[in-house]
Amino acid sequence: MTAVGVQPSAVGRGDVVLRADGLSKRFGGLLAVQNVSFSQYDGEILAVIGPNGAGKTTLLNLLSGVYRPSSGRLHLLGRDVTQEPMEARCHAGLGRAFQIVRPFPEMTVHENVTVGALFGTRGTTLGQARERAYDLLERTGLAAHADKEAHELTLLQDKRLEVARALATQPRVLLLDEVMAGLRPGEAQEAVGLVRSVRDSGVSVLFIEHIMPVVRDLADRVVVMDQGQVLAEGTYHEVTANPQVVAAYLGTEEGLHA
Amino acid sequence: MELFLQTLLNGLLQSGIYALVASGLALAVGVVGIVNFAHGEFLMIGAFLAWALSAYLGVDPLISLPFAALAVFGVGALTYRVSIRHVLLAPELNQMLLTFGLGILLQNLALIWLGGNTRTVTTPYQGSSLSIGELSVGGPKAIAFGLAVLILGALYGVLYRTTLGRQMRAVAQNRRGSQLIGIDVERVYLIAFGVSCGLAAIAGVLVAVLLFASPTVGLVFALKAFAIIVMAGLGNLTGVLWASVVLGVSEALVQTYVPGGGGWSDAVFFLLIFATLVFRSFRGAR
Amino acid sequence: MSRAMDGGRAVVRRPDVPLRALLPLGLFFLLALVFPFLPLGERSEYLLQIAFFTLVAGVLALSWDILARSGQVSLAHAAFYGLGAYGFALLGKVMPWFLAMPAAALIAGLISLILGAVTMRLSGMYFAIATLAFTEVVRTIIQNLPEATAGGANGLLVPALLGGNARAQYFLAFGILLFTALVSLAIRRSRLHHAFAAIRQGEETARVLGVSVVKYKLLAFFISSFLAALGGVLYAGKTFFINPLETFSLANSIAPLTTSIFGGLYTTLGPILGATVLRVAEEILHNSIKNGYLVVYGLVLMLSILWLPRGLMGLLRRGKHGGDV
């Protein structure tokens, strides 16, 4: 593995693009996410980690609008989107790729991406969307597969499609839900390259990840969650040196360096 | 007060048949995972069997009941083998449309073969009635309810006390897991679907005695069964019993207390189904 | 097979809908246009009537398909067909036919928005049953309206379309099917096509990608019901007499559904082709099967699901994806 080792954040602290203030989500008697606050800065790659059941996916669903929070507020590019539905958040600049890929099965790869380009930003014509979709396929290495149906792709290609489709909505912030899951180490390394190129194109990335080397290679900053709350926040090395974080992971079977 | 009690009693008695039809449908939905739009047509077959055996051979419906159940169990198992089995992995839409097509087919075959007239079954106990204090109950209604309770008791006994029943419930809860622990899922499906159809046929025999047999008699019962299993929550077998009572009693109340109920009673019922579905969808929303 | 990184490679850019795909559809309409002028012999009146109802069946099926494209498999088509018929019967008494026709369709379209709004979160069998129940509610309401206006259960006389001129009526039906087909093609070439397909194939994913699901689902309902109601107008104006039981019968919901699946879902030509085949088959069988001709629809539906999942269109274009019209 070509470890990047110590990669201090190259990004200066610019504007806040995504800000969560005291987000909580209650399912019946279960408090899945509890008073979570954090800020993401422009051009930053932010990782959210934590043991299983820490509330990471619920948090992501709160950010993307699958759930409305029980309390707390969410600001996207300075705008309060707490009560906005998913499609409005998308228009406001939030993209999301799912952990389990969800291509539209009866569409070609190109049509899949066209949907994102067409509806993700207002005022896009069909012709423009189709062109932008072709451009994105070239950028994400799917050019040769444009006319295939999504189910004909390999898992890595499916993940590329998932990212390409989310990028087609021209997000300012991209949420990635364990995109490395199921990939072989070589493939994961490729996916890391893809995420970096996404950031280099000016998109801030927030991702959930289990695979610690990927977090180390990618993340400018890490938010650690445990039992629905934020446990620690800082660079990879700061949080992995934090005794509380180590304790939280030791309590699980995964361990910190799984 | 007396009228009120009488209404409650009528509703309760009616719910026995509803529970039979709905339990059968719930088995198909819960265990096999198929929403059987042809469920009412299996009821219709049972009703016509009772009528035919009574009209041509003079067999009392109560005696032909087990034979009708067995015959329709066979028809159901056959249906499973030649059609349902092939769409188990298909999208839900295809499953739905397949059974929908089957329902249309069976209903219109009956129409072509037997005509659209209603056929009634005459029994010696038709005019009899039972008195409980001030309240009175038609004999056939009481018998039908008693039978429904008996058969439902047997069904739930099988589901909760026998190996086959446990297997069915296991399959209903976790398909893959059941396969892994060595349950012959294919066989469980076949039996569950057959039993589901058999239950509809039993209800059909009772409907033939209480109402009549006709090609379209099943449709309205099937729709009520859908409403019941939606109220109970998909796959919830015990909930079906309560929901049946709720539907039966509320129907009886509407018939007794809503003026001019005649022309509107159908609309009230369909409005109820509609409202149930829509309400559940919004309550289930996040 | 696939190289790890083929990022820089140029992509082959294709047009959305190739023009040649429209050829079979054009051929159908050409045939339909010249049909009344063919030497049909002494049975010409009867044949023209069959052809008229084939066109109506085409309108009904294609309008149903447009709704189905957005993932809403409805059993309420009879309701909007019937609302068109009743709307025309009632409005035709107070205004000329060419105003009564769009007005009736508009009313049906607006009522469909109510149904669409309350069934927004339902899918699959729940949606199907809710739409079925809706049809029954509408039928009962029409049946219980004051007899003096709506005729009650007995039915209602309808002003004859175009003075009962069979040939003129045929061309009106031709025009409306052509209009329906043009709407369908326009949808296929517009953003609606992508919105409908995305909603059908993954509603939540569509929303994440910015598709306004509520808007597009309602739009599908409106367009579909408006067109179905035009079909209802044709039916009412041709038969002079309508009653709730026949006009709102389940058969009028089953036929377009079966026809579209048999012909080929989510296409323009498929439902029209399906309507032609099934309608002609129905006429041929009508003499041997008096009641219960729906048996054919039941059988065709089952067989299509089991062996012909892409319908007649699947036979025509074996193995080709995309670009279907």
Side-chain angles (χ1 to χ4, degrees), chain B residues 18 21-22 44 84 86 100 149 154 160 162 206 233-234 242 248 259 283:
Chain B
Y18 291 168
V21 188
M44 179 264 294
I84 306 290
H86 302 287
F100 193 60
V149 169
Y160 286 86
T162 67
L206 301 180
L234 276 195
W242 296 114
R283 205 188 55 174

Side-chain angles (χ1 to χ4, degrees), chain A residues 106, chain B residues 33-38 83-103, chain C residues 64 68 71 73 123-125 128 200 257 260-262 265-266 298-311:
Chain A
E106 294 166 35
Chain B
I34 287 282
V35 180
N36 184 11
F37 269 82
S83 63
I84 306 290
R85 198 162 65 111
H86 302 287
V87 294
L88 283 180
L89 298 174
E92 189 203 348
L93 178 67
N94 291 30
Q95 303 175 344
M96 189 178 97
L97 292 173
L98 179 76
T99 60
F100 193 60
L102 177 66
Chain C
W64 183 89
V73 176
S123 65
M125 75 152 204
R200 183 179 80 236
L257 173 154
S260 295
I261 290 165
F262 172 62
L265 278 176
Y266 321 138
L299 197 63
V300 166
L301 186 53
M302 286 187 78
L303 297 182
S304 302
I305 295 286
L306 286 174
W307 285 301
L308 211 62
R310 293 180 66 212

Side-chain angles (χ1 to χ4, degrees), chain A residues 213-230:
Chain A
V214 169
V215 176
R216 185 191 60 209
D217 288 359
L218 263 181
D220 298 318
R221 213 152 46 88
V222 180
V223 170
V224 187
M225 286 185 74
D226 186 35
Q227 298 182 4
Q229 289 173 299
V230 173

Side-chain angles (χ1 to χ4, degrees), chain A residues 87 90-91 102 104-107 118-120 124 126 130-131 134-135 138 141 143 147 149 157 165 190, chain C residues 2 4-7 9-11 13-16 189 191 195 198 200-201 204-205 207-210 216 321:
Chain A
E87 53 266 37
C90 173
H91 295 148
R102 295 181 182 183
F104 299 117
E106 294 166 35
M107 293 186 198
L118 187 56
F119 299 100
T124 310
L126 183 52
R130 290 172 51 80
E131 280 306 307
Y134 277 128
D135 293 342
E138 286 171 359
D147 292 328
E149 294 204 342
Q157 290 166 343
R165 202 171 55 176
E190 252 183 64
Chain C
S2 67
M5 276 296 238
D6 40 13
R9 197 149 134 194
V11 71
R13 303 185 182 218
R14 298 181 203 284
D16 195 6
R189 299 177 71 96
R191 55 200 300 125
R200 183 179 80 236
Q201 296 175 35
E204 191 176 286
T205 314
R207 292 184 62 195
V208 168
L209 295 173
Y216 286 108
H321 297 301

Side-chain angles (χ1 to χ4, degrees), chain C residues 103-126:
Chain C
L106 195 64
I107 291 171
L110 292 176
I111 291 176
S112 81
L113 293 181
I114 300 173
L115 176 63
V118 294
T119 57
M120 186 61 64
R121 291 167 186 274
L122 296 174
S123 65
M125 75 152 204
Y126 298 107

